[in-house]
Amino acid sequence: MAEGEPPRIYEVAEPQAPLRRAPSPDAGLDTEALKGERVAVFEITDEGWARARLESDGYEGFLPASALAPLGAAPTHKVIALRTLVFPGPSSRLPPIEALPLGAWLAIARSEGSFAVTAGGGYVPARHLAPIGMNETDFVAVAERFVGTPYLWGGKTSFGLDCSGLVQVALNACGIASPRDSAVQEQALGQPLPSATDLSSLRRGDFMFWKGHVAIVRDQTTLIHANAFHMAVAIDPTGEALARIGAAGSEVTSIRRL
């Protein structure tokens, strides 16, 4: 692309694509882009890296150019299962051609039996999809489906995700836009409760923030969060989590409510 030329819009063609902070496979993973997501590409390097911005949340970094494709048919459906498989024909006995994460976007051309057929000819179990405009109603329940998923800094799929990725994916499933990083989520999501230490008023769906970490309140006694202590998404007794994180030198900075 010539310098000064406006960015070109591509779509993510792979099930998920790593967005790294530098154009190198060894660079840190900042987040992931999911299949069907729109990406503004500013340049493509000779080494095959696209300097890009994700249209969903504005995150910028470097994606493998091989994971992108020119815009195809507009997405009509999204994956609502934690993960689903795409088959080359209308049978689950066929070897799958790819696995798609929750939140991936697809252009569905038609139905065939129990399958939805993508514009590219892939067969996806129809029960694992919903129209893009149809949303979940309980983002905490969405987060609970990830329990046991490995902790992965920058991840946002059932192969691995981090604390803010869990929050973003769960909210997005309910049609609620969310920033990617916990520090920005703390400023943008909902309103702060008057006290960050009064736990008696906690409600399901509140967000509890520490410096560099966020957890979702399930009820007055438990949290759910992706964390490096369990190296997984886990349900924690609130008191135990507060004591453990406090012992490591971090105190709750705010509790926010949508």
Side-chain angles (χ1 to χ4, degrees):
M1 296 177 186
E3 187 173 349
E5 184 179 342
R8 298 179 185 175
I9 307 301
Y10 289 77
E11 67 178 59
V12 178
E14 297 295 323
Q16 65 223 55
L19 187 139
R20 302 192 181 277
R21 64 191 61 178
S24 167
D26 297 327
L29 177 67
D30 280 339
T31 189
E32 293 178 307
L34 306 184
K35 188 179 183 74
E37 189 168 348
R38 272 36 185 167
V39 176
V41 173
F42 299 97
E43 69 171 314
I44 297 178
T45 70
D46 292 339
E47 293 76 26
W49 290 93
R51 183 170 65 86
R53 180 180 65 239
L54 307 186
E55 290 206 326
S56 60
D57 60 16
Y59 219 108
E60 295 189 9
F62 294 86
L63 292 163
S66 59
L68 305 177
L71 289 181
T76 60
H77 289 70
K78 60 184 177 181
V79 176
I80 57 172
L82 204 59
R83 185 164 295 275
T84 191
L85 298 175
V86 183
F87 298 93
S91 171
S92 59
R93 296 185 178 184
L94 296 171
I97 55 179
E98 62 181 354
L100 301 179
L102 176 78
W105 288 355
L106 297 170
I108 298 301
R110 58 187 176 85
S111 298
E112 186 170 330
S114 62
F115 289 91
V117 185
T118 70
Y123 287 73
V124 187
R127 66 178 63 246
H128 289 174
L129 303 178
I132 282 180
M134 183 179 294
N135 297 315
E136 303 268 2
T137 58
D138 183 349
F139 70 86
V140 183
V142 176
E144 289 169 340
R145 287 155 59 187
F146 282 91
V147 168
T149 296
Y151 179 82
L152 173 65
W153 181 277
K156 51 186 289 187
T157 77
S158 62
F159 278 135
L161 77 177
D162 60 18
C163 64
S164 55
L166 178 65
V167 168
Q168 187 186 54
V169 168
L171 288 174
N172 286 350
C174 295
I176 303 170
S178 169
R180 178 60 177 88
D181 294 338
S182 62
V184 188
Q185 290 173 347
E186 187 170 11
Q187 301 301 314
L189 295 179
Q191 298 296 323
L193 298 189
S195 172
T197 58
D198 178 11
L199 306 184
S200 64
S201 61
L202 288 179
R203 294 182 189 170
R204 180 177 175 88
D206 287 346
F207 300 103
M208 188 174 291
F209 289 93
W210 297 258
K211 184 178 180 180
H213 188 59
V214 59
I216 302 170
V217 174
R218 293 180 68 243
D219 51 42
Q220 284 204 320
T221 62
T222 60
L223 308 170
I224 181 169
H225 55 156
N227 65 92
F229 176 79
H230 294 94
M231 284 305 295
V233 176
I235 294 172
D236 248 345
T238 304
E240 291 183 16
L242 290 173
R244 184 178 68 245
I245 298 172
S250 185
E251 300 297 331
V252 174
T253 54
S254 71
I255 301 172
R256 300 181 69 92
R257 179 171 296 162
L258 293 182

